[in-house]
Amino acid sequence: EAAVTQSPRNKVAVTGGKVTLSCNQTNNHNNMYWYRQDTGHGLRLIHYSYGAGSTEKGDIPDGYKASRPSQENFSLILELATPSQTSVYFCASGEGTGRNTLYFGEGSRLIVV
Amino acid sequence: QQKVQQSPESLIVPEGGMASLNCTSSDRNVDYFWWYRQHSGKSPKMLMSIFSNGEKEEGRFTVHLNKASLHTSLHIRDSQPSDSALYLCAASDYNQGKLIFGQGTKLSIKP
């Protein structure tokens, strides 16, 4: 099974501060994704990537940037964190076809105070 | 308005009973559907996928798909306490690799 690791697993940030969530996958998948999960909303897509150097906006990109410097790594950046960004963030990877199964990391819990 | 809608929001089923979960997409471009299961405090894991009209069975789990109505359903027979989890439906289209998820159905199995 694909291995997707996220860091940090838990983070407390101050309002207005910068937060970087990192994700690494070891199965050479083309696609990587960032989702956030809040009660009642399931998983909402923030940004995704088709490969190194590419980033695409998902359904809720406002307030977030993404970076894909290599096949293995995909970061989510909150330049000016706000309390509304308190959530659990999941990174996932997939082969990149329409039928691809996603493999998720264990999640990063972010609290913005 | 989410493009993938699930019902019910929550469901309580006695142990040994049948659980039925529903999911509909409002995006006509959707081609493929998945069901993911997420136990409390854990990450989602793919449970079943279905890409063609009809039915697919794996052990106690059965999924149905009607592409004309963009509706899929998941049925769990002989439900076990370990089936208690959040069940997430997801859909994607042929061209893109991105999955759009519904809000989930919280299933509780009562011993």
Side-chain angles (χ1 to χ4, degrees), chain A residues 65-88:
Chain A
K65 292 171 62 176
S67 174
R68 181 90 182 267
S70 66
Q71 182 81 340
E72 297 80 18
N73 295 294
F74 190 39
S75 297
L76 185 68
I77 303 151
L78 290 66
E79 295 277 6
L80 295 169
T82 68
S84 64
Q85 294 175 313
T86 292
S87 187
V88 178

Side-chain angles (χ1 to χ4, degrees), chain B residues 11 13-21 37 47-48 55-64 73-84 87 107 109:
Chain B
L11 182 62
V13 173
E15 184 175 355
M18 171 77 83
S20 295
L21 292 66
R37 182 169 68 181
L47 182 64
M48 292 187 73
E55 177 181 300
K56 181 177 177 181
E57 182 177 331
E58 293 180 1
R60 298 183 294 110
F61 300 87
T62 302
V63 291
H64 295 267
S73 57
L74 171 68
H75 306 271
I76 308 172
R77 61 177 172 81
D78 189 24
S79 296
Q80 302 298 307
S82 59
D83 295 328
S84 296
Y87 288 78
L107 176 63
I109 307 301

Side-chain angles (χ1 to χ4, degrees), chain A residues 1 31 33 35 37 40-43 45 48 50 59 90 97-102 104-106, chain B residues 2 32 34 36 38 42-44 46 51 86 88 92-94 96-103:
Chain A
E1 185 172 315
N31 286 18
Y33 310 80
Y35 291 89
Q37 185 172 38
H41 289 282
L43 292 166
L45 183 62
Y48 59 105
Y50 292 121
D59 295 328
F90 285 99
T97 65
R99 297 187 175 195
N100 76 145
T101 294
L102 296 194
F104 285 85
E106 291 305 307
Chain B
Q2 284 196 243
Y32 310 126
W34 285 260
Y36 282 72
Q38 184 180 23
K42 302 295 186 181
S43 60
M46 199 274 286
F51 305 143
L86 180 68
L88 295 159
S92 75
D93 65 24
Y94 176 79
Q96 298 187 22
K98 68 174 186 176
L99 264 64
I100 302 302
F101 286 83
Q103 79 278 24

